[in-house]
Amino acid sequence: MKKQSPRLQNKYEQQIRPDLMKELGLNNVMAVPKVTKVVINTGIAEDQYQDKALESMRTQLGLISGQRPADAVAKKSIAEFKIRAGQVIGLKVTLRGKRMYQFLDKLVSVVLPQIKDFSGVSPSSFDGQGNYTLGFKEQIVFPELTYDTIDKIRSLEITLVTSAKTDDEARRLLQAVGMPFSKEGHGEEK
């Protein structure tokens, strides 16, 4: 029995990609922008309970992403921040393929709409190469986590890496995927 593709992947292949191809005037289907990976990362700053905090956040990121996080290690020592080279200072997860589409679908259809007083994500968080970064002040917004299991509120950063050549192409792709951009502070909206 063949496994079914995620809902968002089917929507991209059957509806979004052909529409973007027409809208951007592209002749080759391979030139159409797509989300290539999603990177979720968090920093752990507690000095005293570093191991306990890492283990707790490792479990939480695993629940959120469906994949075991990798350690983010300090490249050099910084005495002011009490960081030594080789010390684990955070965690990151890189999602590709089916897990990426499932996470992205959950992000735009479940997580973002349930945020209190949410008026859309910032349209100016692109990096100039078509990648979009979204920050969360609390990891509790994800439905897999229950408030009782969280030892401390920590922030997360989610980067959507696309194959788009420009920020405008990436914006059109993410809008088609369902990313709710806010209208304010954006000169393109007419």
Side-chain angles (χ1 to χ4, degrees):
M1 190 167 109
K2 187 181 172 193
K3 287 191 175 184
Q4 192 173 356
S5 297
R7 179 178 72 159
L8 189 60
Q9 185 176 7
N10 288 335
K11 182 180 177 185
Y12 173 78
E13 290 169 357
Q14 296 166 5
Q15 181 184 347
I16 297 171
R17 187 168 51 190
D19 291 349
L20 279 175
M21 201 168 162
K22 286 178 194 166
E23 187 180 331
L24 299 173
L26 301 170
N27 296 326
N28 187 347
V29 74
M30 299 305 285
V32 178
K34 63 181 177 184
V35 179
T36 56
K37 66 181 176 180
V38 174
V39 181
I40 309 165
N41 64 57
T42 185
I44 308 292
E46 291 95 66
D47 291 338
Q48 265 182 317
Y49 309 105
Q50 182 80 8
D51 292 337
K52 186 179 177 191
L54 272 169
E55 202 48 50
S56 172
M57 201 59 201
R58 189 173 281 128
T59 303
Q60 292 172 36
L61 265 181
L63 287 171
I64 290 169
S65 66
Q67 187 171 306
R68 192 179 193 307
D71 294 342
V73 180
K75 293 180 182 169
K76 41 181 163 171
S77 299
I78 304 172
E80 292 176 34
F81 298 116
K82 298 178 184 173
I83 295 175
R84 295 177 305 282
Q87 179 182 357
V88 178
I89 56 171
L91 299 167
K92 65 180 176 179
V93 177
T94 303
L95 302 172
R96 291 184 174 89
K98 288 184 179 183
R99 282 193 182 147
M100 174 192 72
Y101 280 109
Q102 289 167 342
F103 178 81
L104 197 53
D105 193 14
K106 175 178 67 174
L107 181 69
V108 298
S109 59
V110 176
V111 175
L112 292 175
Q114 79 171 4
I115 296 174
K116 186 179 177 186
D117 298 330
F118 181 70
S119 60
V121 296
S122 171
S124 61
S125 293
F126 288 92
D127 67 353
Q129 278 117 31
N131 304 317
Y132 185 77
T133 302
L134 179 64
F136 288 95
K137 292 179 182 173
E138 309 176 332
Q139 78 272 32
I140 193 72
V141 296
F142 288 90
E144 296 86 0
L145 303 179
T146 56
Y147 197 76
D148 302 340
T149 60
I150 294 177
D151 59 335
K152 184 178 178 186
I153 299 292
R154 293 186 185 86
S155 60
L156 293 175
E157 188 177 80
I158 299 172
T159 303
L160 307 174
V161 180
T162 70
S163 64
K165 293 175 178 59
T166 65
D167 289 350
D168 189 47
E169 285 182 6
R171 186 176 293 107
R172 288 180 181 168
L173 167 66
L174 293 179
Q175 281 173 332
V177 167
M179 187 65 73
F181 289 104
S182 63
K183 306 265 187 276
E184 60 192 52
H186 193 270
E188 179 190 277
E189 244 74 70
K190 291 177 182 148

